[in-house]
Amino acid sequence: METILAFCAFAFVALITPGPTNFLILSTSQQFGINKSCTLIAGASVGAALLVLLVGLGLGQSISYSPALQLILSVAGGLWLTVLAWKIFHDQPNLANMHPQAQQKHGFWAGFLMQLINPKSWLMAIAVMTVYLAQTAQYSQMLVILTLLFMLIAFPCLFVWAWLGQMSQKWLSNPGRVAAFNKVLGVILLISVWHPILKLLIGSA
């Protein structure tokens, strides 16, 4: 029971602190509303939980033991997220014409796949395996429990960021403010992506 409570505290802190997924949800909610962010949040929550499961089943062990593979995956994910940050940075939506096609910009699969290339998500999943599962006697049972708990905790934590985006709509009521806000988000997203990758690059040098 103590392990589960400690894990819940870890998951809450890890999921609610800023990262690429959080900023993407914030940006999506700010532009298209909180309802349109729910599919993105669901995809991210399921993707993060699946990553914990895959790492617990052994995929993470092979990656953690291969610094070269870890570096390749991190840089590849960083490049994809850099493109996303660039698009957010230059996005200037027409507030008077938010058509339905644009509102499908980031859906379930975007959130789901983002977890598989997000360095922060991999680090969280590996931490779950090494800290909360390594010393567990009933490994398989605990892995299933922690995976489900991670998904249940992820949704409300990520929803907080969607709520923040929704609240910011009142202040971001003109195109100039929206453009400036998107530039700030783009830069923050870029920093949140490359900070851990650069640490990994420096460590491997």
Side-chain angles (χ1 to χ4, degrees):
M1 189 64 177
E2 291 181 0
T3 299
I4 291 178
L5 291 176
F7 168 78
C8 288
F10 159 80
F12 174 80
V13 173
L15 288 162
I16 206 167
T17 50
T21 302
N22 308 76
F23 290 121
L24 178 60
I25 292 170
L26 177 67
S27 175
T28 301
S29 178
Q30 180 270 314
Q31 294 184 58
F32 308 121
I34 201 166
N35 291 334
K36 292 297 180 181
S37 302
C38 286
T39 53
L40 176 62
I41 293 171
S45 300
V46 173
L50 179 62
L51 196 57
V52 169
L53 181 62
L54 291 175
V55 168
L57 291 173
L59 178 61
Q61 292 183 1
S62 61
I63 292 175
S64 63
Y65 292 144
S66 176
L69 180 58
Q70 193 177 38
L71 187 61
I72 290 171
L73 290 174
S74 295
V75 172
L79 291 174
W80 186 86
L81 292 171
T82 298
V83 173
L84 185 60
W86 178 263
K87 290 181 178 180
I88 292 175
F89 185 88
H90 289 280
D91 191 17
Q92 298 185 19
N94 183 352
L95 300 181
N97 186 27
M98 289 292 192
H99 48 82
Q101 289 79 5
Q103 293 177 340
Q104 300 302 321
K105 185 176 182 180
H106 301 301
F108 179 91
W109 290 110
F112 180 87
L113 294 174
M114 191 172 187
Q115 305 315 301
L116 303 181
I117 62 171
N118 183 357
K120 178 187 174 184
S121 298
W122 279 100
L123 291 173
M124 287 192 299
I126 291 173
V128 171
M129 180 190 70
T130 56
V131 176
Y132 300 99
L133 286 172
Q135 307 300 323
T136 301
Q138 298 177 320
Y139 186 91
S140 298
Q141 180 181 351
M142 185 62 71
L143 175 60
V144 173
I145 292 173
L146 296 189
T147 298
L148 292 175
L149 281 174
F150 200 77
M151 182 170 60
L152 292 174
I153 295 170
F155 196 94
C157 287
L158 297 177
F159 190 84
V160 168
W161 287 84
W163 177 79
L164 290 173
Q166 178 76 33
M167 292 299 100
S168 70
Q169 283 185 341
K170 296 178 180 179
W171 182 76
L172 298 170
S173 57
N174 66 71
R177 287 179 178 174
V178 171
F181 183 73
N182 285 340
K183 290 185 187 303
V184 171
L185 280 183
V187 171
I188 294 175
L189 176 58
L190 198 63
I191 294 172
S192 70
V193 168
W194 283 101
H195 180 261
I197 295 177
L198 289 176
K199 289 178 65 177
L200 188 62
L201 285 169
I202 294 172
S204 64

